[in-house]
Amino acid sequence: ASLIITLNKAMACADRVAGVLDIRTTMHYPETPSAKADPSANEVEFDKVSFTYAGAGASSLSDISFSVKKGQTVGIIGGTGCGKSTLVSLISRFYDVTCGTVKLNGRNVKELTNQEIHDKVGIVQQRSVLFKGSIRDNMKWGNENASDSEIWDALKVAQAKEVVEGKDGQLDFMLEQNGKNLSGGQRQAIALLMSTMTPIDFLILDEHTAALDPKTAELIMKLTGKIVEEKNGGKPVKVVANLPYYITTPIIMGLFESHVPIDSITVMVQKEVADRMQSGPGTKDYGALSLAVQYYAEPYVVANVPPNCFMPRPKVGSAVICLTKYKDAPIKVTNEKLLFQLIRASFNQRRKTLQNGIKNFGGLNFSKEQVAQALEEMELPASVRGEALTLEQFAQLSNILDR
């Protein structure tokens, strides 16, 4: 009886599998390339693109036009369900546009063979896709001809070499389906490397840090920066993103502190965070984030975004803020690490005087008297609090204490 039940279940499963295999794709690709790429054309171009999902009552995208040149980094900002993932899915031709044209290197994506699209576009999604098999096998999904030496070089760039070396069998370590025996950060690092194992023209990062904790998100963004720097020949890039509140500071500071060649960072964040980034001394929003951002870049709010722009409607407003990075720091410090330690110490206990805040801060070994002498040299009162000092005064304090 048990055997009959098992056979019936197996036959039902086989029918379902056969049904899937019998499905014919509605996407049709040319068998051979129709034309060579135009080296002078934009890397990606959307021309009056609209898209509607089958059976949907309204368009997900309507009359979208923009272009991306080679070497540019462009971000799509918007609330949940506004069509960000749908838009980038049209680049890799997961779907065909309802009307309009999507071009890669001047050629309509419908004129590209399936292999040409795979060779040009790399994708890392919010939920990484790894397969059951060895680390080597998964990495070779990005380049089936990759040697062990090339895989190790990629892992070294990603600072994942030691992690793999610590696994039983190293490159032969067997991953479970979807990489369940790896941490979230390790899965995303391998997925990112898989997408860049071969030279590609276009890398899509679809909220690839959204499901990670702040520390891991910071590490993945640093890895992303290194890969962008390597693939982009050291040319500066523009970073654009929609950042959740809890990972805003780690990601922005991770990008600045990793010294990736960045031209500017444009992000949509909660309005209170944007206000803190551009606040000055003596204001309630002024703090460590204000000083850290203003040390690296000039911030200005591009637009305020009210809650009614989102679905579902959040309780707080948002803002789009642009951080234009300085080519050279506006102040000179002899010890950058000390500068930021002093800033954190000053705002760690905001209502205490600067002397007491620095004296009580772990990691700093300055006495109250040393700080008092430095403040006297700067012609500041002993009772001054950190919230009253400008960035230039913090730099001066740091340089005096570093002597």
Side-chain angles (χ1 to χ4, degrees):
S2 177
L3 178 60
I4 292 173
I5 293 173
T6 301
L7 287 173
N8 285 334
K9 286 183 178 179
M11 290 174 65
C13 290
D15 285 341
R16 292 171 64 187
V17 171
V20 172
L21 295 177
D22 285 341
I23 294 174
R24 294 292 175 260
T25 179
T26 58
M27 309 292 285
H28 300 289
Y29 297 89
E31 295 183 2
T32 57
S34 59
K36 291 184 178 180
D38 181 359
S40 64
N42 291 318
E43 197 78 18
V44 175
E45 184 175 351
F46 275 56
D47 183 17
K48 298 180 179 178
V49 169
S50 297
F51 176 78
T52 304
Y53 284 100
S59 297
S60 297
L61 301 171
S62 299
D63 199 26
I64 303 293
S65 296
F66 69 92
S67 61
V68 183
K69 296 180 180 179
K70 187 174 181 63
Q72 282 188 319
T73 299
V74 173
I76 311 299
I77 294 177
T80 302
C82 71
K84 302 186 296 294
S85 295
T86 298
L87 187 147
V88 296
S89 294
L90 298 177
I91 297 171
S92 50
R93 208 185 167 198
F94 288 164
Y95 307 98
D96 275 336
V97 299
T98 304
C99 62
T101 308
V102 177
K103 295 181 179 179
L104 289 176
N105 299 126
R107 298 167 61 196
N108 191 324
V109 290
K110 293 182 180 180
E111 298 173 359
L112 299 176
T113 65
N114 198 6
Q115 188 60 49
E116 282 183 297
I117 295 176
H118 291 168
D119 290 342
K120 288 177 177 291
V121 181
I123 304 174
V124 183
Q125 297 176 317
Q126 180 175 336
R127 182 180 177 183
S128 56
V129 178
L130 299 178
F131 300 95
K132 186 174 182 179
S134 67
I135 292 177
R136 179 189 291 105
D137 292 340
N138 274 271
M139 294 291 284
K140 284 194 172 186
W141 278 102
N143 178 4
E144 62 182 353
N145 298 315
S147 66
D148 282 5
S149 176
E150 289 173 321
I151 293 174
W152 281 117
D153 287 344
L155 290 169
K156 186 176 181 180
V157 170
Q159 298 181 331
K161 186 171 181 283
E162 292 182 359
V163 174
V164 176
E165 286 178 336
K167 301 292 185 183
D168 293 336
Q170 299 186 358
L171 291 179
D172 293 318
F173 178 74
M174 296 300 292
L175 302 182
E176 296 179 8
Q177 188 67 33
N178 287 324
K180 291 181 179 179
N181 52 341
L182 296 177
S183 69
Q186 291 170 348
R187 287 196 297 271
Q188 285 298 70
I190 290 178
L192 186 54
L193 289 171
M194 286 167 59
S195 296
T196 56
M197 281 297 292
T198 53
I200 55 175
D201 293 335
F202 199 77
L203 176 61
I204 298 173
L205 304 174
D206 189 1
E207 297 189 281
H208 67 308
T209 62
L212 304 176
D213 63 87
K215 188 65 177 177
T216 305
E218 180 182 353
L219 293 174
I220 293 298
M221 285 305 298
K222 286 182 178 180
L223 166 59
T224 304
K226 287 184 178 180
I227 290 177
V228 168
E229 182 177 5
E230 179 183 303
K231 302 292 181 181
N232 202 38
K235 292 181 291 185
V237 298
K238 291 180 172 64
V239 177
V240 187
N242 177 22
L243 296 180
Y245 176 82
Y246 71 99
I247 60 172
T248 298
T249 300
I251 285 182
I252 289 176
M253 296 313 300
L255 286 169
F256 281 141
E257 292 172 358
S258 63
H259 298 291
V260 173
I262 293 172
D263 182 63
S264 65
I265 299 176
T266 303
V267 289
M268 182 159 64
V269 296
Q270 282 192 10
K271 188 177 183 303
E272 67 173 88
V273 178
D275 290 340
R276 283 162 51 198
M277 289 184 189
Q278 62 172 359
S279 292
T283 61
K284 65 181 180 65
D285 293 321
Y286 186 61
L289 179 61
S290 315
L291 288 157
V293 166
Q294 292 168 32
Y295 175 78
Y296 289 107
E298 180 181 359
Y300 71 93
V301 172
V302 177
N304 289 312
V305 187
N308 60 10
C309 290
F310 299 93
M311 184 67 69
R313 177 179 176 139
K315 295 180 180 179
V316 296
S318 299
V320 177
I321 186 167
C322 179
L323 312 176
T324 304
K325 191 176 180 184
Y326 295 119
K327 291 183 178 179
D328 299 302
I331 58 172
K332 302 296 182 184
V333 289
T334 56
N335 188 333
E336 189 176 287
K337 180 180 178 181
L338 175 59
L339 169 66
F340 287 113
Q341 284 181 316
L342 291 171
I343 290 173
R344 286 194 294 270
S346 301
F347 292 95
N348 190 46
Q349 296 175 304
R350 192 180 183 100
R351 303 312 301 168
K352 287 188 176 294
T353 64
L354 185 62
Q355 292 183 52
N356 288 329
I358 293 174
K359 181 176 71 72
N360 296 334
F361 189 75
L364 291 176
N365 298 314
F366 300 110
S367 66
K368 194 172 181 178
E369 290 71 25
Q370 286 176 296
V371 180
Q373 289 176 2
L375 292 176
E376 183 179 353
E377 185 175 336
M378 295 171 62
E379 299 182 351
L380 291 173
S383 60
V384 70
R385 293 191 176 100
E387 61 190 22
L389 268 66
T390 64
L391 178 59
E392 290 75 12
Q393 288 173 318
F394 271 110
Q396 185 182 359
L397 177 63
S398 174
N399 291 339
I400 292 172
L401 293 175
D402 193 46
R403 288 200 298 237

